[in-house]
Amino acid sequence: SSRVLWTLAVTQLAWNFFSVRADMPPKFDPNEVKVIYVRAVGGEAGAASSLAPKVGPLGLSPKKVGDDIAKGTADWKGLKVTVKLTVQNRQAKVEVCPSAPRFGHPRPQGARA
């Protein structure tokens, strides 16, 4: 009797788990804008394997995005910069986010060397 109840409970849990997974994802909205921030070395195409989890679900090619980041950060060659990726309609726009130490601003008053 308890074995039958346990089997029924496990069957119900499995049914609930797989029925939730079988639902279709929401439709793709071309007007939706997603913003992703990544750290990259200027002028270098980052590893596609590290970009894939971030841009893959949005329908973008990690290799193409890496190449776009390399072109967009060419002025900051060799420096680590924060890159803002604005994704709309499966197109990524690359912007470099300003950070004070990267742009030669003086150190804040009272900061140690």
Side-chain angles (χ1 to χ4, degrees):
S1 169
S2 64
R3 179 176 241 169
V4 171
L5 288 175
W6 183 82
T7 305
L8 286 173
V10 169
T11 306
Q12 185 64 38
L13 282 172
W15 179 258
N16 288 341
F17 176 76
F18 289 113
S19 66
V20 169
R21 297 262 182 186
D23 291 343
M24 292 292 291
K27 277 199 157 190
F28 175 70
D29 180 11
N31 297 322
E32 184 180 11
V33 177
K34 295 259 188 185
V35 177
I36 303 169
Y37 291 93
V38 293
R39 294 280 289 166
V41 178
E44 295 180 16
S49 60
S50 64
L51 287 172
K54 297 174 182 77
V55 301
L58 302 175
L60 297 172
S61 162
K63 183 170 179 358
K64 184 181 179 312
V65 172
D67 293 341
D68 291 346
I69 289 173
K71 286 180 200 160
T73 59
D75 294 341
W76 293 274
K77 192 169 181 72
L79 295 174
K80 280 193 117 181
V81 292
T82 302
V83 177
K84 177 182 175 183
L85 293 172
T86 307
V87 180
Q88 183 176 14
N89 199 15
R90 295 192 179 148
Q91 297 292 318
K93 187 175 121 190
V94 177
E95 293 177 52
V96 177
C97 297
S99 61
R102 302 288 177 234
F103 291 95
H105 290 285
R107 190 166 300 175
Q109 200 168 13
R112 293 187 161 188

